Amino acid sequence: MSKIKACIFDLDGVIVDTAVYHYKAWRRLANQLGFDFTEEQNEQLKGISRIESLKIILNWGTVSKSEEEMQELATLKNTWYVEMITKMTPSDILPGAKEFLEEVRAKKYLTALGSASKNSEMILKQIGLMHLFDALVDGNKVTKSKPNPEVFLVGAKELDVKPEECVVFEDAIAGVEAAKAGNMIAVGIGEADILNQADLVVKGLFEMTIEKLENL
């Protein structure tokens, strides 16, 4: 008998792919500061908070800014990013995500979002999936970035379940590490050779089934 009671989902790369919007906004900021960076470099920012991402980017451009200036730059980037994501629609949902969420809820599993994004509520409303989550834990509720497990532990607490009764769905190495650090089962979304710490790796939620969930 499976002891799993809840599923906690990351947002970016699991339910929607907003990475392209983050990349465009960060790149616009970098260009404004006089340098550029690649999509490959952008991969390093997956699952990292806004300020931590900015610090990494400034380091790439060997640009130094004060704490106050960094806050202003992070806000500017977010303004550009929000302009883009307010145009998102249900067509932006990744293959299989809505269907799997509906299956999970039909089987009476609890669901939570566990994301570093501070715009997750807006995105869920834009794509019409808000009603499929019992709890929403994002960058507005937590202070520590993944691989710290805070975001998932808060999710478990809000759902009133034990960490070991949760399965986390993550596309980032830092996210899988956070799930494991929180004593949770981790399902990696992406490549098995990259997300090798996960208990199971699938290409996307379109490959997930209730049977696979119950066999974890």
Side-chain angles (χ1 to χ4, degrees):
M1 185 67 188
S2 175
K3 64 177 181 179
I4 297 164
K5 290 183 179 177
C7 295
I8 304 178
F9 298 85
D10 180 34
L11 181 64
D12 293 351
V14 176
I15 294 170
V16 292
D17 189 4
T18 58
V20 62
Y21 304 121
H22 281 296
Y23 177 53
K24 284 178 179 177
W26 279 130
R27 194 175 175 208
R28 182 175 170 185
L29 190 72
N31 292 168
Q32 193 165 295
L33 293 169
F35 65 97
D36 202 358
F37 66 92
T38 65
E39 281 192 62
E40 285 71 34
Q41 283 174 295
N42 190 60
E43 287 294 303
Q44 295 175 43
L45 308 177
K46 267 191 178 180
I48 309 290
S49 73
R50 197 181 301 161
I51 286 292
E52 290 305 314
S53 294
L54 178 59
K55 286 176 181 175
I56 292 167
I57 291 165
L58 291 176
N59 189 46
W60 291 336
T62 60
V63 173
S64 182
K65 295 289 178 184
S66 68
E67 288 293 326
E68 192 180 346
E69 286 171 324
M70 282 198 288
Q71 288 294 341
E72 287 174 6
L73 289 171
T75 300
L76 179 60
K77 176 264 172 182
N78 191 56
T79 302
W80 294 335
Y81 172 69
V82 169
E83 282 172 7
M84 289 186 275
I85 62 171
T86 49
K87 297 180 178 70
M88 289 179 79
T89 69
S91 67
D92 287 295
I93 300 169
L94 287 171
K98 184 183 181 185
E99 292 79 3
F100 183 63
L101 273 161
E102 288 173 340
E103 282 178 36
V104 162
R105 289 179 67 85
K107 290 288 185 179
K108 302 294 186 240
Y109 288 101
L110 295 167
T111 55
L113 191 81
S115 170
S117 170
K118 289 188 176 181
N119 302 296
S120 56
E121 187 172 346
M122 181 202 300
I123 292 169
L124 287 180
K125 284 177 179 173
Q126 285 291 127
I127 62 174
L129 294 187
M130 192 76 181
H131 65 290
L132 294 177
F133 291 92
D134 298 299
L136 192 66
V137 184
D138 61 13
N140 297 301
K141 286 188 180 177
V142 296
T143 55
K144 300 181 182 77
S145 282
K146 301 167 190 175
N148 187 291
E150 183 188 22
V151 67
F152 298 137
L153 293 174
V154 172
K157 192 175 179 183
E158 290 205 4
L159 294 174
D160 196 24
V161 293
K162 296 172 187 169
E164 58 269 26
E165 294 171 330
C166 299
V167 178
V168 169
F169 295 85
E170 259 289 352
D171 71 315
I173 294 169
V176 170
E177 288 174 354
K180 301 308 288 182
N183 198 27
M184 298 180 179
I185 298 165
V187 174
I189 306 290
E191 302 300 325
D193 54 339
I194 296 170
L195 303 171
N196 51 26
Q197 288 185 43
D199 298 283
L200 170 70
V201 179
V202 292
K203 295 281 187 191
L205 289 177
F206 60 89
E207 283 190 358
M208 273 306 295
T209 61
I210 295 297
E211 188 181 7
K212 284 181 182 176
L213 181 66
E214 290 172 347
N215 285 331
L216 286 167

